[in-house]
Amino acid sequence: MNTSATFGVGTPSESDFRDTRDGDMSDIGLTKGHVTVGSVEIQAAKMTARGVNIFYGDKQAIHDVTVDIGKNQVIAMIGPSGCGKSTFLRSLNRMNDTIDGCKIEGDIRIDGEDLYSPKLDVVELRARVGMVFQKPNPFPKSIYDNVAYGPKIHGLAETRVDLDEMVEKSLRRAGLWDEVKDRLFQAGTGLSGGQQQRLCIARAIAVSPEVILMDEPCSALDPIATARIEELIEELSHNFTIAIVTHNMQQAARVSQRTAYFHLGRLIEVNPTEQVFTNPEHSLTESYITGRFG
Amino acid sequence: MSKEPIYLEKIQRSLVGRYRTERVFRGFGMLAVSLGLAAVLLVFVDIFIKGTGAFSATYIALDVTYEKDLLGIENLADQRQVNSGDWEALYKQALRRDFPDIRKRGERRKLYALVSSAAGYDIKDRLLANPGLLGSKETLWILADDDIDSYYKSWLDGNAYTARLTDGQIRVLDTLINTERMQLHFNANFLTRGDSREPEQAGIWGAVIGSFLTLMLTLVLSFPVGIAAAVYLEEFAPKNKVTDFIEVNINNLAAVPSIIFGLLGLAIFINLFQIPRSIPVVGGLVLAVMTLPTIIITSRAAIKSVPPSIREAALGMGASRNQMVLHHVLPLALPGMLTGAIIGMARALGETAPLLMIGMVAFIVDIPAGFMDPATVLPVQIFLWADSPERAFIEKTSAAIMVLLGFLVTMNISAVWLRKRLERRW
């Protein structure tokens, strides 16, 4: 019956927010009226978040987050476990809607359109803002059907030939085509972990979304598969806007143009990646990237 | 540093106790399993031993002459002549010829009683199927009366049961046995006929068809409704006091004694809606109401077991809630749902109490031809036969139980097979 418990993967559980937030904030250099430092706003913003607060029941998971996500850029979101980065990411295509008791305040827009306005259709939004999850989650169907699923439900392909082309194109862009072209009709779940994750990326890009959200896409993969996905993110960023949550700071440094550091539900700092990792503005960011906590 | 050997000793000492506990636990487990198996085996073997007899019946060889005068029939095509024909006279004449010494009327009647009262109809069917036989003579194997059947089978076992027979009859029977004119043949009647007051003519087919019709209706009514309810409650319903209340009551409903459902059927379907008694429609409705909670509960468990990552993947691709359910959740939950439905059906197949309440316990000879014909079902047939005084019904009862168990085992095996097969797809 408890539907809220069904979305386990990548969802912060309530216990993640049972912490010393208000009491001990001063100890770790966080003040109550914290204002994000760095370059929050940028010129060519694809998505904008303004004063976003997210609650799970009575617990506040995200405090007053304001940030822009640049078009055809990769923004990495880093921070210690339970800092709310996944929660924030999921609010960008309203995946939090599926969680009972999750409430969102503030203003999130894509190309100026309000995500949470009653006029916006959530199905259309998710076609525009795709998502790749922490654990590879291909459908228990064939490789072909996995990639063809999005085009099919959104009615993007007129004919079978169109659909075949879309599937091939997506698999090529995900760098998976050569490995699976001879077994398109075998189960997607039979692939290796890294291949499954690339299949999930192929599935996400098959509907040509404008933004791709990635929630720790490499955390379940080995270094070789991770490197493969990172290359892919780099390639995809020429055509797509990407927001990636990661625990791996090297990964953030390698793939992103901008990095946002979250701490205890607050956005501490947003700056160009190079600056965050070489010359962070905020002392908390510095502590985190130098490994003092996290 | 010096503490380490002491720890090791302590661990080693505690190991002995731990292994002993494990052995005791395993012993209890194995004992429990063997007790259960032994009980099941005992029941099966007992029923099998008692029931196999019902699949054969005693037949007597008689030289029947199809005499026109004796029958009172000139033309077999004339329906009225056929109906008024004295068909029993044929086997009576044969018996008289074989045992000319028996002359007294009382003894003659006892002699005729050796043959089943249905023998006349069997001869009639034989002649109508082969009209060319009229006027000729042939040796027929004629169905014996149930008392003769009991006597012959117990005689074969070396312990003849004579309580229901006169000395004269036993002499005749011994003559028939010695001249090899008495034999056991396969009892096709048991598998093809409806119920009868005469054990040798009673068959299970009416009850099988009754059960089939009733269960068909139960399945058609309860499976879609159960799945729709489960999907709605699991995937669409808001989680609040009302749905909590519904959930608790579905669980309560599953625990209600089945006879209560029978009373419900009697009050609502028969008294309020005026549906006739004793028919599969009412039985199916009652059993559907009874099975519904089981199907809802198992279907919800099956839906719950679908991995959340699949739902997220579908929603993340922009599938609507409905598409997520239809494309991903239902196909993955289907094996579990089917298993639940088959187990529910198996329970409904074995159900007697609610059907007693709605009149499906009536004595029904005709094999039901449709949902509106009076019918009975297998477990009720077993109950009826177990309740009958004739000795020959003992083996019928056991044989009917064998048939019922056969269906139940088949259904359960198919549930397992279906689950394995559907789950193996990916």
Side-chain angles (χ1 to χ4, degrees):
Chain A
M1 191 62 223
N2 187 357
T3 48
S4 65
T6 53
F7 295 90
V9 178
T11 308
S13 66
E14 281 190 5
S15 62
D16 289 346
F17 306 103
R18 182 196 57 219
D19 56 27
T20 55
R21 189 170 310 132
D22 288 326
D24 294 355
M25 273 194 321
S26 53
D27 296 349
I28 50 171
L30 198 63
T31 54
K32 277 195 179 171
H34 170 79
V35 178
T36 309
V37 299
S39 50
V40 173
E41 297 183 27
I42 60 167
Q43 288 277 305
K46 179 71 187 174
M47 294 184 84
T48 58
R50 294 289 175 269
V52 174
N53 290 304
I54 304 180
F55 304 84
Y56 289 116
D58 298 335
K59 303 256 166 72
Q60 189 167 0
I62 287 288
H63 297 257
D64 193 23
V65 167
T66 293
V67 68
D68 282 355
I69 294 168
K71 196 171 161 71
N72 294 355
Q73 261 195 0
V74 180
I75 182 167
M77 300 179 186
I78 59 169
S81 289
C83 67
K85 53 197 185 311
S86 286
T87 299
F88 179 69
L89 188 79
R90 291 165 62 92
S91 71
L92 296 177
N93 74 342
R94 291 182 56 177
M95 282 302 279
N96 285 331
D97 287 13
T98 58
I99 298 171
D100 283 348
C102 182
K103 200 168 94 235
I104 294 178
E105 288 173 359
D107 182 274
I108 305 177
R109 286 172 188 273
I110 177 166
D111 292 337
E113 273 179 75
D114 185 357
L115 251 61
Y116 288 86
S117 119
K119 274 183 280 179
L120 185 126
D121 191 305
V122 69
V123 167
E124 186 199 309
L125 171 69
R126 290 186 189 141
R128 292 173 68 185
V129 184
M131 186 147 188
V132 176
F133 296 86
Q134 184 172 1
K135 214 180 104 198
N137 56 355
F139 298 127
K141 298 174 187 290
S142 72
I143 293 167
Y144 182 94
D145 285 339
N146 262 284
V147 182
Y149 185 67
K152 266 187 200 161
I153 57 170
H154 296 301
L156 301 183
E158 301 278 318
T159 62
R160 177 81 194 187
V161 179
D162 285 356
L163 194 60
D164 288 348
E165 270 173 22
M166 281 176 155
V167 169
E168 180 175 343
K169 191 175 146 207
S170 304
L171 284 169
R172 277 190 193 283
R173 289 174 90 168
L176 196 58
W177 176 253
D178 291 330
E179 290 159 64
V180 301
K181 64 183 175 202
D182 299 323
R183 48 169 171 161
L184 282 177
F185 296 97
Q186 287 174 23
T189 43
L191 298 172
S192 74
Q195 288 174 323
Q196 285 191 18
Q197 195 62 296
R198 276 182 280 148
L199 177 60
C200 291
I201 293 173
R203 182 176 67 187
I205 59 181
V207 293
S208 297
E210 296 153 34
V211 181
I212 303 173
L213 309 177
M214 297 187 175
D215 190 356
E216 298 181 40
C218 301
S219 67
L221 305 180
D222 66 34
I224 296 168
T226 301
R228 201 80 185 70
I229 304 267
E230 284 178 10
E231 274 171 37
L232 179 55
I233 292 171
E234 160 72 37
E235 279 164 36
L236 292 176
S237 68
H238 300 305
N239 300 304
F240 299 95
T241 301
I242 295 174
I244 177 169
V245 163
T246 177
H247 272 299
N248 181 335
M249 279 177 279
Q250 288 78 31
Q251 183 171 71
R254 280 192 296 265
V255 302
S256 69
Q257 283 84 51
R258 289 167 80 225
T259 296
Y261 174 64
F262 284 77
H263 192 96
L264 296 181
R266 287 180 169 80
L267 180 55
I268 305 299
E269 175 173 350
V270 187
N271 263 321
T273 301
E274 211 184 294
Q275 190 192 336
V276 169
F277 284 99
T278 53
N279 184 22
E281 241 176 273
H282 201 283
S283 58
L284 275 173
T285 317
E286 191 185 355
S287 303
Y288 182 68
I289 61 166
T290 52
R292 228 168 292 164
F293 56 80
Chain B
M1 281 292 130
S2 60
K3 276 182 182 170
E4 278 174 17
I6 303 173
Y7 278 146
L8 195 61
E9 250 172 58
K10 278 187 175 170
I11 290 170
Q12 282 168 345
R13 252 181 289 145
S14 79
L15 273 180
V16 180
R18 278 188 264 172
Y19 285 136
R20 192 175 50 230
T21 319
E22 193 184 319
R23 273 198 302 276
V24 170
F25 242 85
R26 271 201 213 175
F28 272 124
M30 276 153 76
L31 189 72
V33 170
S34 353
L35 272 179
L37 274 181
V40 170
L41 209 65
L42 199 71
V43 170
F44 271 56
V45 167
D46 181 59
I47 287 170
F48 193 76
I49 289 172
K50 283 189 183 145
T52 39
F55 292 102
S56 59
T58 305
Y59 284 79
I60 299 170
L62 291 176
D63 297 323
V64 174
T65 313
Y66 302 102
E67 280 178 36
K68 285 182 184 173
D69 293 347
L70 206 57
L71 278 169
I73 292 176
E74 285 299 320
N75 180 8
L76 279 175
D78 186 343
Q79 196 61 43
R80 202 193 282 163
Q81 280 187 24
V82 168
N83 285 342
S84 61
D86 187 2
W87 297 95
E88 293 179 0
L90 295 184
Y91 70 78
K92 284 178 181 169
Q93 185 204 41
L95 281 167
R96 277 199 305 275
R97 270 197 218 132
D98 285 346
F99 300 96
D101 305 340
I102 299 174
R103 290 182 183 283
K104 284 190 191 152
R105 263 182 83 179
E107 285 181 6
R108 277 248 172 100
R109 211 179 305 129
K110 290 285 180 199
L111 179 67
Y112 299 152
L114 296 182
V115 170
S116 166
S117 57
Y121 299 103
D122 291 343
I123 295 172
K124 172 178 159 188
D125 291 343
R126 164 96 186 135
L127 185 60
L128 288 181
N130 307 284
L133 288 172
L134 191 60
S136 69
K137 180 178 169 180
E138 70 171 336
T139 306
L140 277 186
W141 284 98
I142 307 256
L143 184 62
D145 188 66
D146 59 299
D147 290 330
I148 311 314
D149 188 54
S150 296
Y151 171 83
Y152 183 55
K153 281 173 184 164
S154 55
W155 181 87
L156 285 173
D157 291 339
N159 184 23
Y161 175 77
T162 56
R164 303 262 303 160
L165 302 174
T166 64
D167 291 346
Q169 282 177 316
I170 291 169
R171 269 196 301 281
V172 171
L173 289 177
D174 288 344
T175 314
L176 287 170
I177 291 169
N178 290 334
T179 54
E180 292 185 344
R181 278 185 290 166
M182 185 170 272
Q183 274 182 13
L184 286 180
H185 287 182
F186 174 68
N187 187 3
N189 287 345
F190 181 71
L191 293 176
T192 55
R193 288 199 181 171
D195 196 10
S196 170
R197 290 280 184 232
E198 299 296 330
E200 78 275 8
Q201 294 166 39
I204 196 86
W205 193 241
V208 169
I209 295 294
S211 272
F212 176 75
L213 292 172
T214 308
L215 279 190
M216 278 266 290
L217 206 67
T218 305
L219 184 68
V220 165
L221 290 175
S222 63
F223 191 60
V225 175
I227 283 183
V231 168
Y232 177 74
L233 286 172
E234 233 11 89
E235 299 287 346
F236 296 102
K239 194 173 156 39
N240 55 28
K241 290 247 161 62
V242 178
T243 46
D244 279 353
F245 181 76
I246 291 172
E247 173 162 15
V248 168
N249 280 295
I250 288 171
N251 291 336
N252 284 342
L253 215 55
V256 167
S258 56
I259 196 155
I260 308 290
F261 288 104
L263 283 172
L264 176 102
L266 180 62
I268 308 254
F269 301 132
I270 295 180
N271 285 347
L272 191 64
F273 294 135
Q274 298 287 314
I275 305 175
R277 275 167 299 176
S278 306
I279 59 172
V281 170
V282 189
L285 283 168
V286 167
L287 291 180
V289 175
M290 195 198 79
T291 318
L292 204 52
T294 314
I295 292 186
I296 294 177
I297 290 169
T298 49
S299 298
R300 288 183 68 178
I303 292 171
K304 268 190 196 139
S305 70
V306 173
S309 60
I310 299 293
R311 295 161 202 267
E312 286 210 311
L315 289 178
M317 286 304 301
S320 65
R321 229 177 157 71
N322 198 40
Q323 285 171 326
M324 176 191 84
V325 171
L326 288 181
H327 298 167
H328 302 286
V329 176
L330 270 188
L332 289 174
L334 204 60
M337 290 174 164
L338 284 177
T339 312
I342 293 176
I343 288 170
M345 285 301 112
R347 197 188 143 199
L349 174 64
E351 201 54 71
T352 323
L355 301 178
L356 301 185
M357 286 291 125
I358 52 158
M360 289 192 84
V361 70
F363 171 71
I364 289 146
V365 176
D366 292 325
I367 291 162
F371 291 101
M372 296 300 280
D373 285 349
T376 190
V377 293
L378 276 167
V380 175
Q381 187 69 73
I382 291 166
F383 168 76
L384 284 171
W385 283 348
D387 212 26
S388 300
E390 286 87 349
R391 184 185 166 86
F393 274 126
I394 296 175
E395 61 180 27
K396 302 272 176 205
T397 308
S398 291
I401 294 172
M402 282 165 69
V403 173
L404 179 61
L405 284 178
F407 281 117
L408 288 176
V409 169
T410 311
M411 283 170 87
N412 287 333
I413 288 175
S414 66
V416 173
W417 177 80
L418 214 60
R419 193 175 53 210
K420 285 259 162 66
R421 200 192 128 90
L422 287 174
E423 274 178 352
R424 220 173 22 209
R425 261 177 60 200
W426 296 110

